[in-house]
Amino acid sequence: MKDEQLRVLARIAALERLRDQAVAGDRPAMLHSVEHLLKGERQLLRSIGAASAAQAA
């Protein structure tokens, strides 16, 4: 796994912890923001994976 993928996975893990805190604290605005960031990080991870697969082919 590339270093870049590991960094994205670490950010996703941190955002998931923030999401849990937002849910526990009943903070809908924070939850919405964190979910938006999570979506972007997951898209980035998919694109990195696709680029890696294309390079390997």
Side-chain angles (χ1 to χ4, degrees):
M1 194 174 278
K2 289 180 158 182
D3 287 342
E4 188 175 5
Q5 286 174 309
L6 292 174
R7 285 191 295 271
V8 173
L9 285 171
R11 287 194 304 264
I12 288 172
L15 286 168
E16 287 175 345
R17 287 190 298 273
L18 277 176
R19 182 186 58 199
D20 293 344
Q21 290 174 5
V23 169
D26 192 28
R27 299 185 63 187
M30 181 178 164
L31 179 60
H32 176 77
S33 297
V34 170
E35 286 178 342
H36 181 75
L37 291 169
L38 273 168
K39 182 179 178 183
E41 290 296 324
R42 289 181 178 130
Q43 285 178 326
L44 178 59
L45 188 61
R46 280 193 296 276
S47 66
I48 292 169
S52 295
Q55 282 182 343

